[in-house]
Amino acid sequence: DCAFCDTGRVKPAANLPAWAIAGQAQAAQALNPQIRRVVFMGMGEPLMNYTEVSRSISMLRESSEHLARPWAITVSTVGVAPRIAALAADHPQVALAVSLHAPTQQLRSRLVPAGSARWPLEEVMAAVQGHEEATGRVPMFAYTVLPGVNDSCEHAEELAALLSKSRKPGGPRPFVNLVPYNRTKAGDAHGFEAPRSRQLREFRGELRSRGVRATVRWSTAEGRPLTAACGQLTAAVTTSTSSTPSSMSSEASSSSSPSSSSVAPGPLLTAEVDTNSAIAAATASPIASPVLTR
């Protein structure tokens, strides 16, 4: 749904069942036992497939002592307000990440049009506050930095005010993860540009000076030469010769390899799992079939 994301333009064929969602993390753990965390994000919106996502969370927590730890699992959402409340009630030890990207409803309607129309920013923030009160944990807010669009001093002031609203003095400070925008066809259509390191540091400094904990997710830019960075995952029609049926897509990330089409042994600590499938079908014969490409 995000105006700057090519992945959001891929039309999912179906929601994945719980076993297929959990199976992605379990397969990654089989290749690398060092995985200690799982993030639900992937294709589509996890909370729009809530029943199966909830079941897969239970499956993972029951099958792994590492994932049974509090906050070892995170669910990322664009802000499906009713399901945020359900997540807090059903899985109080699962962390929440919210793709915010803008400090006002007006700007968010431009950057996240469908999600903002269905769940206005005020409603999303009320649900997020309820989640924090129910779980006792401050959520993480993802904020894609678009130079000249959402990174001014005024935007920093508005964002700090939004995140500090109704927060008790002396309580945990809000946390923002700044995501460098990676050029995409969707973003090019709007004239968006990738931020420079200096711009990211300056905006981070503006937030920190206002009492907001802020970091830059530098790793999301590392896959740009292969168009494999955050937001650049797209679909294409190609010839497949694989005889192995494919019904899901998966990603794994680490500090040394943040975006990869396969999982390899190494210092891998977090597995990212998808909750929707963009692959409509798989065949054993070498004919054209929709597959994911980076």
Side-chain angles (χ1 to χ4, degrees):
D1 170 48
C2 298
F4 46 80
C5 181
D6 281 348
T7 310
R9 300 298 189 271
V10 178
K11 301 300 182 182
N15 285 330
L16 293 177
W19 65 264
I21 299 171
Q24 296 173 71
Q26 291 166 344
Q29 284 183 313
L31 290 173
N32 192 333
Q34 298 304 312
I35 289 177
R36 296 292 185 270
R37 298 186 300 273
V38 167
V39 180
F40 287 74
M41 50 193 313
M43 309 289 298
E45 163 60 53
L47 294 187
M48 292 300 286
N49 187 19
Y50 182 75
T51 298
E52 298 304 314
V53 166
S54 179
R55 289 173 179 169
S56 67
I57 290 172
S58 298
M59 292 170 63
L60 290 173
R61 287 176 60 84
E62 292 169 1
S63 65
S64 169
E65 61 177 331
H66 299 302
L67 299 182
R69 295 176 297 110
W71 322 125
I73 296 176
T74 299
V75 174
S76 177
T77 177
V78 75
V80 184
R83 302 289 170 76
I84 291 176
L87 182 68
D90 296 338
H91 303 284
Q93 292 189 324
V94 168
L96 177 69
V98 180
S99 296
L100 195 59
H101 307 313
T104 66
Q105 173 64 16
Q106 181 179 7
L107 181 55
R108 198 165 191 261
S109 296
R110 174 187 170 191
L111 300 181
V112 192
S116 296
R118 191 165 182 181
W119 301 287
L121 184 57
E122 183 177 353
E123 184 179 346
V124 172
M125 296 306 297
V128 169
Q129 182 178 349
H131 184 279
E132 181 179 343
E133 293 173 353
T135 64
R137 182 177 175 85
V138 177
M140 184 274 285
F141 295 93
Y143 193 97
T144 297
V145 177
L146 302 163
V149 178
N150 66 352
D151 68 335
S152 68
C153 292
E154 181 180 357
H155 291 129
E157 184 68 32
E158 292 172 333
L159 183 57
L162 175 70
L163 301 185
S164 300
K165 186 178 180 180
S166 302
R167 191 167 294 280
K168 297 179 181 179
R173 292 183 297 157
F175 173 54
V176 175
N177 198 349
L178 300 175
V179 182
Y181 162 68
N182 301 300
R183 283 195 60 185
T184 61
K185 292 180 180 178
D188 285 348
H190 294 278
F192 298 150
E193 298 180 355
R196 297 180 179 180
S197 297
R198 175 183 54 80
Q199 293 171 308
L200 291 164
R201 292 190 178 94
E202 288 178 352
F203 191 63
R204 179 184 63 185
E206 293 290 343
L207 291 175
R208 288 178 174 177
S209 69
R210 292 167 172 80
V212 177
R213 290 182 297 158
T215 59
V216 177
R217 195 189 304 171
W218 299 105
S219 61
T220 60
E222 293 182 14
R224 287 177 181 172
L226 299 175
T227 62
C230 181
Q232 295 180 326
L233 177 63
T234 58
V237 175
T238 188
T239 299
S240 174
T241 58
S242 172
S243 59
T244 302
S246 176
S247 60
M248 63 182 177
S249 60
S250 63
E251 281 187 35
S253 70
S254 71
S255 58
S256 62
S257 180
S259 185
S260 169
S261 58
S262 62
V263 181
L268 185 61
L269 298 178
T270 304
E272 297 179 3
V273 298
D274 292 339
T275 57
N276 309 83
S277 175
I279 302 177
T283 66
S285 58
I287 62 173
S289 61
V291 299
L292 293 181
T293 180
R294 292 181 180 278

